Amino acid sequence: MRLHSLTLRDFRGVKDRTVRLPALGTTVVVGDNEVGKSSLVEAFGLIFDFPDDSKSTRIRDIQPVGQDVGPTVTAELTLGGRELIYTKRWLKNRSTELAIVAADGRRTAWTGREAHNEAERLFHEYVDPVLWQTLMVSQGQSLILPSPADAEPLIAAVTAESGTPVDGASMPLVSAVEHEYLRYWTRGGRATGDYARSEKTVTAAELQAAHALKAMEDVQQDIRRAERLTLDLADVDNRLADHLSTVEEVRERKQATDEILLRRDTVRSKAETARARLVNHTRTREERERLLDEVERFTKIDVELAERRADADTVAKAATETVQAAEAALAEVIDLKDIRRTDVQDAERRVSRLVDEAELERLIGQQTELIDVRSRIVTAAAVLDKIKVDDGLFAALEDARSAVVEARAALAAGVPEVVVRRLGAEPVELSGKGVESGQKSTGRMPKELGFDESAELLVSGELTIGVPGQLEVTIRAGGEAATLRSRVDDAVRRERELLKKAGVKDVAAAREQLRRADTASAELQEARRTERSLTSAGDPGERIAVLTARLGIGDEDGEQGGSKQAAVEGVPGQMSLFEEFVSPLDTLFDDFELPEAPADDLGAAQRVLDDVRAELAGVERLLTDAEFAAAQARKAADEDRSEAQQARARSEIAEERLAAAIDSLSSARKALDDAAVSAAEADAMAEVEAVLEELTAVQEQADAAGADQVAGELVDALAVATRMQGERDTLRDALRTTEGRLEQSGRDGLATRRDMAELELADVRSEHERLERRAEAARRVYETLGRHRAEAQTKYSEPLQTRIEALGRSVYGPSFKIWLDDDLAVAERELDGIRLPIEALSTGAQEQLAIITRLAISHLVSTGDGSVPVIFDDALGWSDKARLRDMGALLGRAGDHGQVIILTCMPDRYEYVPKATFIKLDG
């Protein structure tokens, strides 16, 4: 067989591809992963194995997911000297076409099932299935070494080359011997048939006789056991009685020592109490010593601080007199300054009035612009107040919308879709829960269908279809549908909650609200920037009011507007307050006219002001000097007063601490004087020493009597007594059980049963020995014939072994040798004098040897009609660069004798294959 071309359409991920292959030589088909290389081999196998109407899972798997198309395969090949063009389409628009062109040019065509049957017949007639599976290496199988002993073309080829017949004896004799052998033995050498049943019968009889004999032996053992148990029970009773007397002695010793232990515990309690009392008295003494130290220390501190306080008061009094003299001089200068300041103020008021009149005119224009800006701020803020949508809420709405769409898509894909159509006159009623319209229906589920009306429904719960009086059909979805329905409901509920929170009807409305919010926000920011610019120096309205009040202009209008509420700035949604603020300003300056002063009034007033200011500056210099002198005097006086106050405060604190220490000491002495504190501590110390001496004496008495060990000895003795009582009870139970078995054995007639079993065993053994002689004779004949056939097989396996070694030496060198097993599979390899089983070779060496073996088989059968292409899918993945070079040369030479097809995603592995044809598959 030679494969010329393969065409795939709508086959897995392949849309339309044709690959043409040379009939002779090595072809390397290159393509990335998942481009469809392995699909070529799979398609060639399916076209001969499955008819176009097959419902096999393998056929459904090749249809592209989600596409209603029919996978199509066309193969052009030469088979038995004839050219075949074979096309098959499955699943959609099924068809099968076969065209055969004979060697003389005659063309014959078949279609449908006839085409499939004829192609299948020709394939099985000219292609040996074992040889085809041996030479076609699928992806991931390159490490499997072939076992081609059952490949008829190979056996025929090696037989012809070796000149040795396949069988070492005539087939009728072989069949007769094998038939007789299989009556008694399996092919694996295990007994079968009557012989196996005879063995089982003998085994059963021997088992029965052994059971009867064992029963008699058990009776004898029970008699001996009963005697032994009786003796053991008497011994345990004696030992238990002796031990119980020992337990009583230990118990009496414990009662005698319990009084000593009780007295020791009492003395220990007294010792703890005495230690606690000593600790308390020691703490009292240490506290009394601390109080005495504090009284002494605070007394010294109080004397020192009293002296410092008297000195500080004297210094502070002198500083006060100095301050009074400096302040009297300062008062005289201040009076002179007041006179000069009055003159300056009169001049400044004249100049200030003229300046205020000019400033007032400028501020009126600025205020008008500010009113317009604030109106824009209120409008934009009102728009933003009404909009509830922000970026986070809008993103959540989009996510919720996507979740609803995904959940509904999953529901549509995961629940049953039911199409109901009314065809007759009878009404069709629909009811149920968890039902919604499909893609082609509109609205909700109708309760009844009209004539020729249909409904397409998705059932996630339960649907009932009824024809009153005739039919009722209930459709229930599975457990997964309830989960999908719950996901849809949760997603819809989440979307509705977010829409309600945003105050919109859908996502588009929310998007429009977000756009309006951005526009209003930009307008608000721009207006506020303008407002800040206009009010950077203060609110113009306030300054206008100040200037009009200062100038005494518009008193009547000011009184009318003064009762209105002031404007509120920066508070969105309060347009009415801005209107109240705007209204009086619109009419305040309608009839207002600034008085026109003579042109030289401001200049003359400024010159007068400069003159009086110069006189005031001279007075201020005198005042500065007087103020500095007074300040220095005040500073010195303040420092002296501060020092006096601090000295007084420290003295008072010291007096308070001393009084507190004296009070604490007096209170402590009222409770217990100093001598009593020392005496109490000494008494407590003596009491502790006395109690410790008593405790030592009691402990020595307890140690002498062994009081601490007696309790443990009693517990151990009681545990031993309990164990011995359990042993006695166990022996009693065992004795009763043994005596019961002996009594039952006497009633069962065990001796008679043993005699009957021995007679039956003798009969079945005699029959089994007769069958055994016939079975052994058949096995000797079968093994002798098999040995002769194995010798013949060794001779006709030599051509394959020779061909494998010849190819292998081109890769591994002249020391390469192999050994074949009975299935003509390579069992061992020798290289450089080291012989190893195939399993011990490296992964790369195993793969290389598997490829060499298949090329040798292909070379042997390449000249006959039974030859097939050698196909390697993704091989040589474990070879180093040197071996890739040698294996590439070998693959190139193999193409000289037959058709070698290599599928790979790594073309670099085969760059050393000479004369190879490379075919690139694009995705």
Side-chain angles (χ1 to χ4, degrees):
M1 182 183 71
R2 291 290 181 267
L3 182 59
H4 303 300
S5 73
L6 270 175
T7 300
L8 277 65
R9 296 185 183 90
D10 299 320
F11 192 98
R12 293 193 185 276
V14 179
K15 183 63 178 176
D16 190 352
R17 174 178 292 131
T18 299
V19 178
R20 301 195 177 277
L21 303 167
L24 192 66
T26 302
T27 304
V28 181
V29 181
V30 181
D32 295 335
N33 290 330
E34 300 185 6
V35 79
K37 303 185 299 298
S38 300
S39 297
L40 296 173
V41 180
E42 181 184 13
F44 186 74
L46 294 177
I47 195 174
F48 286 100
D49 292 343
F50 294 94
D52 57 24
D53 59 352
S54 173
K55 304 298 182 182
S56 172
T57 303
R58 293 183 61 188
I59 297 300
R60 290 197 299 270
D61 288 345
I62 65 175
Q63 185 182 34
V65 177
Q67 300 183 31
D68 188 18
V69 295
T72 306
V73 178
T74 299
E76 297 182 13
L77 64 154
T78 299
L79 195 62
R82 288 173 283 188
E83 294 183 2
L84 278 69
I85 303 174
Y86 190 22
T87 302
K88 185 173 290 185
R89 182 187 297 112
W90 293 275
L91 302 177
K92 183 77 173 179
N93 299 326
R94 303 189 304 270
S95 65
T96 303
E97 299 176 0
L98 173 64
I100 299 178
V101 180
D104 56 4
R106 289 182 302 170
R107 182 182 180 91
T108 309
W110 288 267
T111 61
R113 176 64 76 166
E114 293 180 352
H116 172 78
N117 293 339
E118 180 64 17
E120 185 178 33
R121 183 188 67 78
L122 290 173
F123 188 80
H124 290 128
E125 179 179 354
Y126 291 103
V127 177
D128 181 74
V130 177
L131 183 64
W132 171 245
Q133 293 298 325
T134 299
L135 299 185
M136 183 184 68
V137 183
S138 301
Q139 193 172 31
Q141 297 181 345
S142 60
L143 297 177
I144 301 175
L145 273 77
S147 302
D150 295 331
E152 293 183 2
L154 176 63
I155 300 304
V158 297
T159 301
E161 188 164 328
S162 64
T164 303
V166 176
D167 293 321
S170 64
M171 291 307 298
L173 176 60
V174 171
S175 298
V177 170
E178 184 175 8
H179 181 268
E180 182 66 16
Y181 173 81
L182 293 177
R183 284 184 58 190
Y184 305 103
W185 308 95
T186 64
R187 294 189 182 276
R190 295 188 302 272
T192 187
D194 293 338
Y195 182 50
R197 287 191 292 273
S198 176
E199 283 186 341
K200 293 180 180 178
T201 302
V202 171
T203 302
E206 289 176 344
L207 182 61
Q208 185 175 0
H211 284 169
L213 182 61
K214 180 67 168 53
M216 288 299 297
E217 293 177 352
D218 289 344
V219 170
Q220 298 297 327
Q221 291 179 1
D222 285 342
I223 293 173
R224 291 191 294 271
R225 186 181 297 110
E227 294 174 352
R228 187 176 62 254
L229 289 173
T230 301
L231 295 175
D232 291 344
L233 182 58
D235 179 64
V236 170
D237 284 336
N238 295 331
R239 288 191 290 112
L240 179 60
D242 294 340
H243 185 71
L244 289 177
S245 62
T246 303
V247 170
E248 289 302 323
E249 293 176 358
V250 175
R251 184 178 286 113
E252 290 174 358
R253 285 177 55 204
K254 184 177 182 301
Q255 291 175 355
T257 57
D258 284 346
E259 183 179 355
I260 298 174
L261 295 177
L262 179 61
R263 188 163 64 255
R264 184 183 64 181
D265 293 340
T266 302
V267 174
R268 280 180 177 172
S269 177
K270 288 170 60 179
E272 293 297 328
T273 303
R275 286 194 187 96
R277 189 179 297 111
L278 175 60
V279 170
N280 291 333
H281 287 302
T282 302
R283 289 176 180 171
T284 302
R285 176 186 52 80
E286 293 173 349
E287 178 65 17
R288 183 64 52 85
E289 291 174 351
R290 185 185 65 80
L291 290 175
L292 291 171
D293 291 341
E294 284 188 352
V295 169
E296 183 180 357
R297 181 165 52 86
F298 288 150
T299 300
K300 293 179 180 178
I301 293 173
D302 183 59
V303 172
E304 294 175 358
L305 293 178
E307 295 175 355
R308 293 181 185 177
R309 175 179 177 180
D311 296 340
D313 289 340
T314 302
V315 173
K317 184 176 180 180
T320 301
E321 294 174 354
T322 303
V323 168
Q324 290 174 354
E327 288 179 347
L330 178 62
E332 294 177 0
V333 179
I334 289 174
D335 292 340
L336 180 60
K337 178 183 177 182
D338 290 340
I339 296 171
R340 297 293 180 263
R341 180 178 291 168
T342 301
D343 297 338
V344 172
Q345 289 175 350
D346 292 341
E348 285 179 344
R349 279 195 293 271
R350 175 60 180 165
V351 173
S352 176
R353 181 177 181 84
L354 294 174
V355 173
D356 289 345
E357 289 172 352
E359 179 69 9
L360 180 61
E361 183 178 1
R362 184 186 67 80
L363 291 174
I364 290 173
Q366 185 175 345
Q367 178 64 18
T368 302
E369 183 181 359
L370 182 60
I371 290 171
D372 178 66
V373 170
R374 285 176 173 168
S375 176
R376 288 165 53 198
I377 290 174
V378 172
T379 302
V383 172
L384 289 176
D385 282 344
K386 295 178 181 179
I387 295 175
K388 302 178 181 179
V389 181
D390 56 15
D391 291 337
L393 183 57
F394 181 71
L397 276 171
E398 287 188 325
D399 293 341
R401 178 76 267 178
S402 300
V404 170
V405 173
E406 292 175 1
R408 283 179 172 165
L411 179 66
V415 301
E417 181 178 7
V418 180
V419 179
V420 184
R421 184 174 182 181
R422 176 177 170 183
L423 300 178
E426 296 296 330
V428 177
E429 299 176 351
L430 303 177
S431 62
K433 58 183 180 179
V435 182
E436 62 180 33
S437 299
Q439 297 178 353
K440 298 181 182 179
S441 300
T442 59
R444 298 182 177 179
M445 178 186 71
K447 295 184 178 180
E448 184 174 332
L449 295 179
F451 178 73
D452 200 28
E453 183 181 357
S454 63
E456 185 174 333
L457 305 172
L458 296 175
V459 182
S460 59
E462 180 176 294
L463 171 66
T464 301
I465 306 171
V467 178
Q470 298 185 18
L471 175 68
E472 182 177 274
V473 179
T474 300
I475 301 169
R476 296 186 182 92
E480 181 66 20
T483 303
L484 297 175
R485 176 77 261 172
S486 175
R487 292 176 182 173
V488 172
D489 294 341
D490 292 343
V492 171
R493 182 165 54 254
R494 172 62 177 166
E495 183 185 28
R496 288 175 179 172
E497 290 174 354
L498 292 174
L499 290 173
K500 182 177 180 182
K501 181 179 179 181
V504 295
K505 64 179 181 178
D506 54 23
V507 176
R511 186 180 291 105
E512 176 61 22
Q513 290 278 24
L514 191 61
R515 186 194 63 75
R516 290 179 58 197
D518 292 340
T519 303
S521 178
E523 175 69 16
L524 180 62
Q525 291 176 4
E526 177 62 27
R528 282 180 173 168
R529 281 195 297 270
T530 304
E531 181 189 29
R532 286 194 297 270
S533 176
L534 292 173
T535 59
S536 60
D539 189 282
E542 296 177 356
R543 297 174 65 192
I544 289 173
V546 171
L547 290 175
T548 53
R550 185 187 303 165
L551 295 173
I553 300 174
D555 290 339
E556 295 179 359
D557 292 338
E559 291 175 358
Q560 292 176 1
S563 62
K564 293 189 177 183
Q565 185 178 1
V568 179
E569 301 181 14
V571 182
Q574 299 213 7
M575 187 64 186
S576 60
L577 297 180
F578 281 102
E579 290 174 352
E580 292 178 5
F581 179 78
V582 172
S583 179
L585 291 177
D586 290 340
T587 59
L588 182 59
F589 302 103
D590 288 347
D591 300 327
F592 181 81
E593 292 183 3
L594 289 173
E596 295 183 6
D600 58 347
D601 277 359
L602 181 58
Q606 187 65 46
R607 287 191 295 274
V608 173
L609 177 61
D610 292 340
D611 293 339
V612 296
R613 279 179 175 170
E615 294 179 0
L616 178 61
V619 175
E620 286 179 343
R621 285 193 292 273
L622 295 176
L623 179 61
T624 300
D625 295 339
E627 286 177 344
F628 179 75
Q632 291 295 322
R634 291 192 197 97
K635 181 178 179 182
D638 290 341
E639 292 176 354
D640 293 339
R641 282 195 298 271
S642 176
E643 180 65 25
Q645 290 174 357
Q646 291 177 2
R648 190 179 299 110
R650 287 195 292 269
S651 177
E652 291 174 355
I653 292 172
E655 290 175 354
E656 292 175 357
R657 289 180 175 177
L658 177 59
I662 293 172
D663 290 342
S664 299
L665 181 60
S666 299
S667 299
R669 282 175 173 171
K670 287 179 181 179
L672 194 66
D673 59 21
D674 297 343
V677 169
S678 299
E681 183 181 14
D683 293 341
M685 179 64 73
E687 183 182 0
V688 169
E689 292 175 353
V691 173
L692 290 177
E693 290 178 359
E694 183 181 0
L695 179 60
T696 302
V698 175
Q699 183 64 47
E700 291 175 353
Q701 186 179 1
D703 293 340
D708 292 327
Q709 291 77 26
V710 172
E713 293 177 2
L714 180 60
V715 171
D716 294 341
L718 290 174
V720 172
T722 302
R723 180 181 58 76
M724 294 178 69
Q725 288 173 349
E727 184 179 355
R728 181 189 61 185
D729 295 339
T730 302
L731 290 173
R732 284 179 178 174
D733 294 340
L735 181 59
R736 293 192 190 100
T737 303
T738 303
E739 290 174 346
R741 284 202 304 270
L742 289 173
E743 184 178 355
Q744 182 64 35
S745 299
R747 292 194 295 266
D748 289 343
L750 295 180
T752 302
R753 288 172 53 190
R754 180 194 59 188
D755 296 340
M756 294 294 295
E758 290 177 350
L759 291 174
E760 184 178 356
L761 176 61
D763 292 339
V764 297
R765 277 179 174 170
S766 175
E767 177 64 21
H768 176 69
E769 289 172 356
R770 183 182 63 82
L771 290 173
E772 187 176 21
R773 287 191 295 272
R774 294 179 59 86
E776 289 298 331
R779 182 166 65 178
R780 283 194 297 272
V781 174
Y782 180 78
E783 290 176 349
T784 302
L785 184 59
R787 187 170 56 257
H788 290 290
R789 295 188 67 197
E791 294 174 356
Q793 185 181 22
T794 301
K795 293 181 180 179
Y796 72 70
S797 66
E798 289 178 358
L800 178 59
Q801 180 176 351
T802 302
R803 193 61 52 86
I804 293 174
E805 289 178 347
L807 295 177
R809 290 187 180 110
S810 65
V811 177
Y812 296 101
S815 64
F816 175 79
K817 292 181 181 180
I818 57 100
W819 283 265
L820 303 179
D821 59 16
D822 293 341
D823 293 329
L824 300 183
V826 179
E828 296 177 347
R829 185 206 72 177
E830 182 178 322
L831 190 63
D832 297 330
I834 300 174
R835 183 171 176 175
L836 295 172
I838 293 300
E839 296 79 7
L841 300 179
S842 68
T843 303
Q846 291 185 36
E847 183 186 42
Q848 295 153 16
L849 195 53
I851 293 174
I852 292 172
T853 302
R854 288 183 171 91
L855 294 178
I857 294 171
S858 175
H859 196 180
L860 285 170
V861 301
S862 60
T863 58
D865 291 338
S867 64
V868 295
V870 184
I871 301 175
F872 297 107
D873 190 355
D874 199 16
L876 292 179
W878 288 276
S879 298
D880 55 42
K881 193 166 185 178
R883 290 286 169 81
L884 285 176
R885 184 182 294 106
D886 297 335
M887 291 298 296
L890 182 62
L891 288 170
R893 291 194 300 274
D896 297 338
H897 305 283
Q899 187 179 30
V900 180
I901 301 172
I902 300 171
L903 308 175
T904 183
C905 60
M906 301 291 290
D908 295 346
R909 298 177 187 169
Y910 304 97
E911 62 182 350
Y912 302 108
V913 179
K915 297 181 293 183
T917 301
F918 283 81
I919 299 175
K920 175 66 175 178
L921 301 183
D922 297 326

